[in-house]
Amino acid sequence: MESTPATAKKKVAADRHPLAVAFGEYLKSVRKESDKSQAELAFDAAMDRTYVSLLERGLSAPSLLVLDSLAKALGMTMTDLMAGFEAQLPKSLRRTSVKRRVNEASLAKTGADRPQGTRRSPLR
C-alpha cells in the first residue's frame, strides 16, 4: 500500500463546495483545540454526531441556527466563530470586491455612457 506525503493536498469531491470544506476544516481545528470529540460537541450543540461529521468533511453546510448552536457548544459567540473562519480562509475563496450591476436599459434612455454615482434611478 502506498503512503501519501503529509503535504499532499486533499482532493475535493465535485459535490462539495470549497467554502463548506474550508469551514469543516476550521470547525475540526476549533473542536480539537477545545479538546472535544465529535460526540461531545454534538451533545453540547444538541445535534447528531453524524451531522457534525458531515459538517467537518464539507458534505453539508450549516444554517445560522446550527452555527449558533456550535458556537455556544464551543464556548464562543457566532461572530467569533465566523471571524475566526474568515481569518483562516484561503485568499482564493475570499470576495475582494462586489461589482455593481449596471442597468443597460436605463443608460440607453438617459444617454449616459456610465453610471452617475447616484443610487436613485435617472428615470424618476
Side-chain angles (χ1 to χ4, degrees):
M1 182 177 230
E2 291 181 29
S3 63
T4 58
T7 58
K9 290 189 175 188
K10 296 179 185 177
K11 286 189 176 182
V12 176
D15 59 340
R16 297 192 304 171
H17 193 279
L19 279 176
V21 173
F23 178 76
E25 291 171 356
Y26 176 70
L27 178 63
K28 185 175 183 178
S29 68
V30 171
R31 176 182 59 81
K32 287 187 174 191
E33 284 176 12
S34 64
D35 199 31
K36 289 188 178 198
S37 66
Q38 283 183 348
E40 290 169 331
L41 177 60
F43 181 79
D44 293 344
M47 58 185 65
D48 195 67
R49 185 207 57 82
T50 57
Y51 184 61
V52 173
S53 174
L54 289 173
L55 290 172
E56 287 186 357
R57 291 182 288 145
L59 295 172
S60 184
S63 67
L64 289 175
L65 296 174
V66 169
L67 286 172
D68 186 50
S69 296
L70 289 170
K72 287 178 181 173
L74 292 166
M76 56 193 338
T77 65
M78 187 169 58
T79 305
D80 293 337
L81 180 67
M82 294 310 295
F85 167 62
E86 187 178 20
Q88 67 87 38
L89 196 60
K91 287 185 179 182
S92 62
L93 295 178
R94 291 184 191 171
R95 287 182 66 176
T96 55
S97 67
V98 178
K99 291 185 179 180
R100 185 173 165 211
R101 288 181 33 192
V102 176
N103 186 339
E104 298 294 331
S106 295
L107 293 177
K109 285 185 178 181
T110 61
D113 58 348
R114 61 188 174 98
Q116 300 300 315
T118 178
R119 297 187 71 110
R120 184 164 273 227
S121 171
L123 299 177
R124 289 188 188 182

